[in-house]
Coordinates of all heavy atoms in Angstrom, one line a residue:
M1 N 56.6 219.3 98.3 CA 56.7 219.9 99.7 C 55.8 221.1 99.7 O 55.1 221.3 100.8 CB 58.1 220.2 100.0 CG 58.3 220.7 101.3 SD 58.3 219.3 102.5 CE 58.8 220.2 103.9
V2 N 55.8 222.0 98.8 CA 55.1 223.2 98.7 C 53.5 222.8 98.6 O 52.7 223.4 99.3 CB 55.5 224.1 97.5 CG1 54.5 225.4 97.5 CG2 56.9 224.5 97.7
E3 N 53.2 221.8 97.8 CA 51.8 221.5 97.7 C 51.3 220.8 99.1 O 50.1 220.9 99.4 CB 51.6 220.5 96.6 CG 51.6 221.2 95.2 CD 51.2 220.2 94.1 OE1 50.3 219.3 94.4 OE2 51.6 220.5 93.0
D4 N 52.2 220.1 99.8 CA 51.8 219.6 101.1 C 51.4 220.7 102.1 O 50.4 220.6 102.7 CB 52.9 218.8 101.6 CG 53.2 217.4 100.9 OD1 52.2 217.0 100.3 OD2 54.3 216.9 101.1
K5 N 52.2 221.8 102.0 CA 51.8 223.0 102.9 C 50.5 223.6 102.5 O 49.7 224.0 103.2 CB 52.9 224.0 102.9 CG 54.2 223.6 103.6 CD 54.8 224.8 104.2 CE 55.9 224.3 105.1 NZ 55.8 224.8 106.4
K6 N 50.3 223.7 101.1 CA 49.1 224.3 100.6 C 47.9 223.3 101.0 O 46.8 223.8 101.4 CB 49.1 224.5 99.1 CG 50.0 225.6 98.7 CD 49.9 225.9 97.2 CE 50.8 227.1 96.8 NZ 50.7 227.2 95.3
S7 N 48.1 222.1 100.9 CA 47.0 221.1 101.2 C 46.7 221.2 102.7 O 45.5 221.2 103.1 CB 47.5 219.7 100.9 OG 46.5 218.8 101.3
E8 N 47.8 221.3 103.5 CA 47.6 221.4 104.9 C 46.9 222.7 105.3 O 46.0 222.7 106.2 CB 49.0 221.3 105.6 CG 48.9 221.3 107.2 CD 48.4 220.0 107.6 OE1 48.4 219.0 106.9 OE2 47.7 220.0 108.8
H9 N 47.3 223.8 104.7 CA 46.6 225.1 104.9 C 45.2 225.0 104.5 O 44.3 225.6 105.2 CB 47.3 226.3 104.1 CG 48.6 226.6 104.6 ND1 48.9 226.7 106.0 CD2 49.8 227.0 104.0 CE1 50.2 227.1 106.1 NE2 50.7 227.3 104.9
G10 N 44.9 224.3 103.4 CA 43.5 224.2 103.0 C 42.7 223.4 103.9 O 41.5 223.8 104.2
K11 N 43.3 222.4 104.5 CA 42.5 221.6 105.5 C 42.2 222.4 106.7 O 41.1 222.3 107.3 CB 43.3 220.3 105.9 CG 43.4 219.3 104.9 CD 44.2 218.1 105.3 CE 44.4 217.1 104.2 NZ 45.3 216.0 104.6
K12 N 43.2 223.1 107.2 CA 43.0 224.0 108.4 C 42.0 225.0 108.2 O 41.2 225.4 108.9 CB 44.3 224.6 108.8 CG 45.2 223.4 109.4 CD 46.5 224.1 109.9 CE 47.3 222.9 110.4 NZ 48.6 223.3 111.0
K13 N 42.0 225.7 106.9 CA 41.0 226.7 106.6 C 39.6 226.1 106.5 O 38.6 226.7 107.0 CB 41.4 227.4 105.3 CG 42.5 228.4 105.4 CD 42.7 229.1 104.0 CE 43.7 230.2 104.1 NZ 43.9 230.8 102.8
F14 N 39.5 224.9 105.9 CA 38.2 224.2 105.8 C 37.7 224.0 107.1 O 36.5 224.2 107.4 CB 38.4 222.9 105.0 CG 37.1 222.2 104.9 CD1 36.1 222.6 104.0 CD2 36.9 221.1 105.7 CE1 34.9 222.0 103.9 CE2 35.6 220.4 105.6 CZ 34.7 220.9 104.7
G15 N 38.5 223.4 108.0 CA 38.0 223.1 109.4 C 37.5 224.4 110.1 O 36.6 224.4 110.8
T16 N 38.4 225.4 110.0 CA 37.9 226.6 110.6 C 36.6 227.2 110.1 O 35.7 227.6 110.8 CB 39.1 227.7 110.4 OG1 40.3 227.2 110.9 CG2 38.7 229.0 111.1
A17 N 36.5 227.2 108.8 CA 35.3 227.7 108.1 C 34.1 226.8 108.5 O 33.0 227.3 108.7 CB 35.5 227.7 106.6
A18 N 34.3 225.5 108.5 CA 33.2 224.6 108.9 C 32.7 224.8 110.4 O 31.5 224.9 110.5 CB 33.7 223.2 108.8
I19 N 33.6 225.1 111.3 CA 33.2 225.4 112.6 C 32.4 226.8 112.7 O 31.4 226.9 113.3 CB 34.4 225.4 113.5 CG1 35.0 224.0 113.7 CG2 33.9 225.9 115.0 CD1 34.0 222.9 114.2
A20 N 33.0 227.7 112.0 CA 32.3 229.0 111.9 C 30.9 228.9 111.3 O 29.8 229.5 111.8 CB 33.1 230.0 111.1
L21 N 30.7 228.1 110.3 CA 29.4 227.8 109.7 C 28.5 227.1 110.7 O 27.3 227.5 110.8 CB 29.5 227.1 108.4 CG 29.7 227.9 107.2 CD1 29.9 227.0 106.0 CD2 28.7 228.9 106.9
L22 N 29.0 226.2 111.4 CA 28.2 225.4 112.4 C 27.7 226.3 113.5 O 26.6 226.0 114.1 CB 29.0 224.2 113.0 CG 29.2 223.0 112.1 CD1 30.1 222.0 112.7 CD2 27.8 222.4 111.7
V23 N 28.4 227.4 113.8 CA 27.9 228.3 114.8 C 27.0 229.4 114.2 O 26.0 229.7 114.8 CB 29.1 229.0 115.5 CG1 28.7 230.1 116.4 CG2 30.0 227.9 116.2
C24 N 27.4 229.9 113.0 CA 26.6 231.0 112.4 C 25.2 230.5 111.9 O 24.3 231.4 111.9 CB 27.4 231.6 111.3 SG 28.7 232.7 111.8
I25 N 25.1 229.3 111.4 CA 23.8 229.0 110.8 C 22.7 228.9 111.9 O 21.6 229.4 111.6 CB 23.9 227.6 110.1 CG1 24.7 227.8 108.8 CG2 22.6 226.9 109.8 CD1 25.1 226.5 108.0
P26 N 22.9 228.3 113.0 CA 21.8 228.3 114.1 C 21.6 229.8 114.5 O 20.4 230.2 114.8 CB 22.4 227.5 115.2 CG 23.3 226.7 114.6 CD 24.0 227.3 113.5
L27 N 22.6 230.6 114.6 CA 22.4 232.0 114.9 C 21.6 232.7 113.9 O 20.7 233.6 114.3 CB 23.8 232.7 115.2 CG 24.5 232.4 116.5 CD1 25.9 233.0 116.4 CD2 23.8 232.8 117.7
A28 N 21.9 232.5 112.7 CA 21.0 233.1 111.6 C 19.6 232.6 111.7 O 18.7 233.4 111.4 CB 21.7 232.8 110.2
A29 N 19.4 231.4 111.9 CA 18.1 230.8 112.1 C 17.3 231.6 113.3 O 16.2 231.9 113.1 CB 18.0 229.3 112.2
F30 N 18.0 231.6 114.3 CA 17.5 232.4 115.5 C 17.1 233.9 115.1 O 16.2 234.4 115.6 CB 18.3 232.2 116.7 CG 17.8 232.7 118.1 CD1 16.6 232.0 118.5 CD2 18.2 233.8 118.7 CE1 16.0 232.4 119.7 CE2 17.6 234.2 119.8 CZ 16.5 233.5 120.3
L31 N 18.0 234.5 114.4 CA 17.9 235.9 114.0 C 16.6 235.9 113.1 O 15.8 236.9 113.3 CB 19.1 236.3 113.2 CG 19.1 237.8 112.7 CD1 19.0 238.7 113.9 CD2 20.3 238.0 111.9
L32 N 16.3 235.0 112.3 CA 15.1 235.0 111.5 C 13.9 234.9 112.3 O 12.9 235.6 112.1 CB 15.2 233.8 110.5 CG 14.0 233.6 109.5 CD1 14.0 234.8 108.5 CD2 14.2 232.4 108.7
L33 N 14.0 234.0 113.4 CA 12.8 234.0 114.3 C 12.6 235.3 115.1 O 11.5 235.7 115.3 CB 13.1 232.8 115.3 CG 13.0 231.5 114.8 CD1 13.4 230.5 115.9 CD2 11.6 231.1 114.2
M34 N 13.7 235.9 115.4 CA 13.6 237.2 116.1 C 13.0 238.3 115.1 O 12.2 239.1 115.5 CB 15.0 237.7 116.5 CG 15.5 237.0 117.7 SD 14.5 237.2 119.2 CE 13.7 235.7 119.3
G35 N 13.3 238.2 113.9 CA 12.7 239.0 112.8 C 11.2 238.8 112.8 O 10.4 239.9 112.7
F36 N 10.8 237.6 112.8 CA 9.3 237.3 112.8 C 8.7 237.9 114.2 O 7.6 238.4 114.1 CB 9.0 235.9 112.7 CG 9.2 235.3 111.3 CD1 9.9 234.1 111.2 CD2 8.9 236.0 110.2 CE1 10.2 233.6 109.9 CE2 9.2 235.5 109.0 CZ 9.8 234.3 108.8
A37 N 9.4 237.7 115.2 CA 8.9 238.3 116.5 C 8.8 239.7 116.5 O 7.8 240.3 117.0 CB 9.8 237.8 117.7
I38 N 9.8 240.4 115.9 CA 9.7 241.9 115.9 C 8.5 242.4 115.1 O 7.8 243.2 115.4 CB 11.0 242.4 115.3 CG1 12.2 242.2 116.3 CG2 10.9 243.9 115.0 CD1 13.6 242.4 115.8
K39 N 8.4 241.6 113.9 CA 7.3 242.0 113.0 C 5.9 241.8 113.6 O 5.1 242.6 113.4 CB 7.4 241.1 111.7 CG 6.5 241.6 110.6 CD 6.7 240.8 109.3 CE 5.8 241.2 108.3 NZ 6.0 240.5 107.0
S40 N 5.7 240.8 114.4 CA 4.5 240.5 114.9 C 4.2 241.1 116.3 O 3.0 241.2 116.7 CB 4.3 238.9 115.0 OG 5.1 238.5 116.1
S41 N 5.2 241.7 116.9 CA 5.0 242.2 118.2 C 4.6 243.6 118.3 O 4.0 244.1 119.3 CB 6.2 242.0 119.2 OG 7.3 242.7 118.6
G42 N 4.8 244.3 117.2 CA 4.4 245.7 117.2 C 5.2 246.7 118.2 O 6.3 246.8 118.0
R43 N 4.4 247.1 119.1 CA 5.1 248.1 120.1 C 6.0 247.4 121.0 O 7.0 248.1 121.4 CB 3.9 248.8 120.9 CG 3.1 249.7 120.1 CD 2.1 250.3 121.1 NE 2.1 251.8 120.8 CZ 1.3 252.5 121.5 NH1 0.7 252.1 122.6 NH2 1.3 253.8 121.2
A44 N 5.9 246.2 121.3 CA 6.8 245.5 122.3 C 7.9 244.8 121.5 O 8.3 243.8 121.9 CB 6.0 244.5 123.1
A45 N 8.4 245.5 120.6 CA 9.5 245.0 119.7 C 10.9 245.2 120.3 O 11.9 244.8 119.8 CB 9.4 245.5 118.3
F46 N 10.9 245.9 121.5 CA 12.3 246.3 122.0 C 13.1 245.1 122.4 O 14.3 245.0 122.0 CB 12.2 247.2 123.2 CG 13.4 247.6 123.8 CD1 14.3 248.4 123.2 CD2 13.8 247.0 125.0 CE1 15.5 248.8 123.6 CE2 15.0 247.4 125.6 CZ 16.0 248.2 125.0
I47 N 12.6 244.1 123.1 CA 13.3 243.0 123.6 C 13.8 242.1 122.4 O 14.9 241.7 122.3 CB 12.5 242.1 124.6 CG1 12.2 243.0 125.8 CG2 13.2 240.8 125.1 CD1 13.5 243.4 126.6
P48 N 12.9 241.7 121.5 CA 13.4 240.9 120.4 C 14.4 241.7 119.5 O 15.3 241.0 119.0 CB 12.1 240.7 119.5 CG 11.0 240.8 120.5 CD 11.4 241.8 121.5
A49 N 14.2 243.0 119.4 CA 15.2 243.8 118.7 C 16.6 243.7 119.3 O 17.6 243.7 118.7 CB 14.8 245.2 118.5
L50 N 16.5 243.8 120.6 CA 17.8 243.7 121.4 C 18.5 242.4 121.2 O 19.7 242.3 121.0 CB 17.5 244.0 122.9 CG 18.7 244.1 123.8 CD1 19.5 245.3 123.4 CD2 18.3 244.3 125.2
Y51 N 17.7 241.3 121.2 CA 18.3 240.0 121.0 C 18.8 239.9 119.6 O 19.9 239.4 119.3 CB 17.2 238.9 121.1 CG 16.9 238.5 122.5 CD1 15.7 238.5 123.1 CD2 17.9 238.0 123.3 CE1 15.4 238.1 124.4 CE2 17.7 237.5 124.6 CZ 16.5 237.6 125.2 OH 16.2 237.2 126.5
A52 N 18.1 240.5 118.6 CA 18.5 240.5 117.2 C 19.8 241.2 117.1 O 20.8 240.8 116.3 CB 17.5 241.0 116.3
L53 N 20.0 242.4 117.8 CA 21.3 243.1 117.8 C 22.4 242.3 118.3 O 23.5 242.3 117.7 CB 21.0 244.5 118.6 CG 22.2 245.4 118.6 CD1 22.5 245.8 117.1 CD2 22.0 246.5 119.4
V54 N 22.2 241.6 119.4 CA 23.2 240.8 120.0 C 23.6 239.7 119.1 O 24.9 239.4 118.9 CB 22.7 240.2 121.4 CG1 23.7 239.2 121.9 CG2 22.6 241.4 122.4
I55 N 22.7 239.1 118.4 CA 23.0 238.0 117.4 C 23.8 238.5 116.2 O 24.7 237.9 115.8 CB 21.7 237.3 117.0 CG1 21.1 236.6 118.1 CG2 22.0 236.3 115.8 CD1 19.6 236.1 117.9
I56 N 23.4 239.6 115.8 CA 24.1 240.3 114.6 C 25.6 240.6 115.0 O 26.5 240.3 114.2 CB 23.4 241.5 114.2 CG1 22.1 241.2 113.5 CG2 24.3 242.4 113.2 CD1 21.2 242.3 113.2
C57 N 25.8 241.1 116.3 CA 27.1 241.3 116.8 C 27.9 240.1 116.9 O 29.1 240.0 116.6 CB 27.0 242.1 118.0 SG 26.5 243.8 117.9
A58 N 27.3 239.1 117.3 CA 28.0 237.8 117.5 C 28.4 237.2 116.1 O 29.5 236.7 115.9 CB 27.1 236.8 118.2
I59 N 27.5 237.3 115.1 CA 27.9 236.8 113.8 C 29.0 237.6 113.2 O 29.9 237.0 112.6 CB 26.6 236.8 112.9 CG1 25.6 235.8 113.4 CG2 27.0 236.5 111.4 CD1 24.3 235.7 112.6
I60 N 28.9 239.0 113.4 CA 30.1 239.8 112.9 C 31.3 239.4 113.6 O 32.4 239.4 112.9 CB 29.7 241.3 113.1 CG1 28.6 241.7 112.1 CG2 30.8 242.2 112.8 CD1 28.0 243.0 112.4
G61 N 31.3 239.3 114.9 CA 32.5 238.8 115.6 C 33.1 237.5 115.1 O 34.4 237.3 115.0
I62 N 32.2 236.6 114.8 CA 32.7 235.3 114.3 C 33.3 235.4 112.9 O 34.4 234.8 112.7 CB 31.5 234.2 114.2 CG1 31.1 234.0 115.7 CG2 31.9 233.0 113.5 CD1 29.8 233.2 115.8
I63 N 32.8 236.3 112.1 CA 33.3 236.5 110.8 C 34.7 237.2 110.9 O 35.7 236.8 110.2 CB 32.4 237.3 109.9 CG1 31.2 236.4 109.6 CG2 33.0 237.8 108.7 CD1 30.0 237.2 108.9
I64 N 34.8 238.2 111.8 CA 36.1 238.9 111.9 C 37.2 237.9 112.4 O 38.3 237.9 112.1 CB 35.9 240.1 113.0 CG1 35.1 241.2 112.3 CG2 37.3 240.6 113.4 CD1 34.7 242.2 113.2
A65 N 36.8 237.0 113.5 CA 37.7 236.0 113.9 C 38.1 235.0 112.8 O 39.3 234.6 112.8 CB 37.1 235.3 115.1
L66 N 37.2 234.6 112.0 CA 37.5 233.8 110.8 C 38.5 234.4 109.9 O 39.5 233.7 109.5 CB 36.2 233.4 110.2 CG 36.4 232.5 108.9 CD1 36.7 231.1 109.5 CD2 35.0 232.4 108.2
V67 N 38.3 235.6 109.6 CA 39.3 236.3 108.7 C 40.7 236.4 109.3 O 41.6 236.1 108.7 CB 38.7 237.8 108.3 CG1 39.8 238.5 107.6 CG2 37.5 237.6 107.4
Q68 N 40.7 236.7 110.6 CA 42.0 236.7 111.3 C 42.7 235.4 111.4 O 43.9 235.3 111.2 CB 41.8 237.3 112.7 CG 41.5 238.7 112.8 CD 41.2 239.1 114.3 OE1 40.9 238.3 115.2 NE2 41.1 240.5 114.5
R69 N 41.9 234.3 111.6 CA 42.4 233.0 111.6 C 42.9 232.7 110.2 O 44.1 232.0 110.2 CB 41.4 232.0 112.1 CG 41.8 230.6 112.1 CD 42.8 230.4 113.2 NE 43.2 229.1 113.2 CZ 44.5 228.7 113.3 NH1 45.5 229.5 113.6 NH2 44.8 227.3 113.3
F70 N 42.3 233.0 109.2 CA 42.8 232.7 107.8 C 44.1 233.4 107.6 O 45.0 232.8 106.9 CB 41.7 233.1 106.7 CG 40.6 232.1 106.5 CD1 39.6 232.5 105.7 CD2 40.6 230.9 107.1 CE1 38.5 231.6 105.5 CE2 39.5 230.0 106.9 CZ 38.5 230.4 106.1
K71 N 44.2 234.6 108.0 CA 45.5 235.4 107.9 C 46.7 234.8 108.7 O 47.7 234.6 108.2 CB 45.3 236.8 108.4 CG 44.6 237.6 107.4 CD 44.4 239.1 107.9 CE 43.5 239.9 107.0 NZ 43.3 241.3 107.5
E72 N 46.3 234.2 109.9 CA 47.3 233.5 110.6 C 47.8 232.2 110.0 O 48.9 231.9 109.9 CB 46.7 233.1 112.0 CG 46.6 234.2 112.9 CD 46.0 233.8 114.3 OE1 45.7 232.6 114.4 OE2 45.7 234.7 115.1
I73 N 46.9 231.5 109.4 CA 47.1 230.3 108.7 C 48.0 230.6 107.4 O 49.0 229.9 107.2 CB 45.9 229.5 108.3 CG1 45.1 229.0 109.5 CG2 46.2 228.4 107.3 CD1 43.8 228.3 109.2
D74 N 47.6 231.6 106.7 CA 48.4 232.0 105.5 C 49.9 232.4 105.9 O 50.8 232.1 105.1 CB 47.8 233.1 104.8 CG 46.6 232.6 104.0 OD1 46.4 231.4 103.7 OD2 45.7 233.4 103.7
S75 N 50.0 233.1 107.1 CA 51.4 233.5 107.5 C 52.2 232.4 108.2 O 53.3 232.7 108.5 CB 51.2 234.7 108.3 OG 50.7 234.4 109.6
G76 N 51.6 231.3 108.4 CA 52.4 230.2 109.0 C 52.3 230.2 110.5 O 53.1 229.4 111.1
E77 N 51.4 230.9 111.1 CA 51.3 230.9 112.5 C 50.3 229.8 113.0 O 49.8 230.0 114.2 CB 51.0 232.3 113.0 CG 51.9 233.3 112.7 CD 51.4 234.8 113.2 OE1 50.5 234.8 114.0 OE2 52.0 235.7 112.6
E78 N 49.9 228.9 112.2 CA 48.8 228.1 112.6 C 49.1 227.2 113.8 O 48.2 226.8 114.5 CB 48.3 227.2 111.5 CG 49.4 226.2 111.0 CD 50.3 226.7 109.9 OE1 50.2 227.8 109.5 OE2 51.0 225.8 109.4
D79 N 50.4 226.9 114.2 CA 50.7 226.1 115.3 C 51.4 226.8 116.4 O 52.1 226.3 117.2 CB 51.6 224.9 114.8 CG 50.8 224.0 113.9 OD1 49.6 223.9 114.1 OD2 51.4 223.4 113.0
E80 N 51.2 228.2 116.4 CA 51.9 228.9 117.5 C 51.4 228.6 118.9 O 52.2 228.7 119.8 CB 51.6 230.5 117.2 CG 52.4 231.0 116.0 CD 53.8 231.0 116.2 OE1 54.3 231.4 117.3 OE2 54.5 230.6 115.3
A81 N 50.2 228.2 119.0 CA 49.7 227.8 120.4 C 50.3 226.5 121.0 O 50.3 226.4 122.2 CB 48.2 227.6 120.3
R82 N 50.9 225.7 120.1 CA 51.6 224.5 120.6 C 52.8 224.8 121.4 O 53.3 224.0 122.2 CB 51.9 223.6 119.4 CG 50.7 223.0 118.8 CD 51.1 222.0 117.8 NE 49.9 221.5 117.1 CZ 49.9 220.6 116.1 NH1 51.1 220.1 115.7 NH2 48.8 220.2 115.6
K83 N 53.4 226.0 121.3 CA 54.7 226.4 122.0 C 54.4 226.6 123.4 O 55.3 226.5 124.2 CB 55.2 227.6 121.3 CG 55.8 227.4 119.9 CD 56.4 228.8 119.5 CE 56.9 228.6 118.1 NZ 57.4 229.9 117.6
Y84 N 53.1 226.9 123.8 CA 52.8 227.3 125.1 C 52.2 226.2 126.0 O 51.5 225.4 125.6 CB 52.0 228.5 125.1 CG 52.7 229.7 124.5 CD1 52.2 230.1 123.2 CD2 53.8 230.3 124.9 CE1 52.8 231.2 122.5 CE2 54.4 231.3 124.3 CZ 53.9 231.7 123.0 OH 54.6 232.7 122.4

């Protein structure tokens, strides 16, 4: 019974991490492109730098949400939304 809960928690954590990766990988690739744009644009680097800053903030937000979700899963709150 205890192993079933650990297995279930592992599955939920894996799914959560997989979705986070599916979102973060394209964002990171776009961030890399913004880095090239900043490097090649010289003086007009403000707009690509602004985009890069927004992407960095989005990735940080996703990581924070992922850590919070892992804590929820560990504490047994993974199905709290089903009550509503």
Side-chain angles (χ1 to χ4, degrees):
M1 185 76 168
V2 174
E3 284 192 30
D4 290 338
K5 285 210 176 238
K6 285 184 181 181
S7 174
E8 188 69 25
H9 289 321
K11 288 179 185 177
K12 289 181 181 184
K13 283 184 176 182
F14 177 76
T16 304
I19 295 300
L21 276 175
L22 285 175
V23 173
C24 283
I25 289 174
L27 286 175
F30 191 66
L31 184 61
L32 182 66
L33 291 175
M34 287 296 107
F36 290 136
I38 291 169
K39 187 176 180 180
S40 66
S41 64
R43 291 182 133 182
F46 177 72
I47 299 297
L50 188 61
Y51 279 124
L53 182 64
V54 169
I55 292 168
I56 290 169
C57 289
I59 291 173
I60 290 171
I62 291 168
I63 292 170
I64 290 170
L66 180 66
V67 169
Q68 288 176 346
R69 181 67 181 137
F70 281 173
K71 287 179 183 177
E72 287 177 2
I73 291 170
D74 287 337
S75 68
E77 297 179 20
E78 66 265 8
D79 293 329
E80 288 294 315
R82 289 185 184 179
K83 293 180 182 179
Y84 302 109

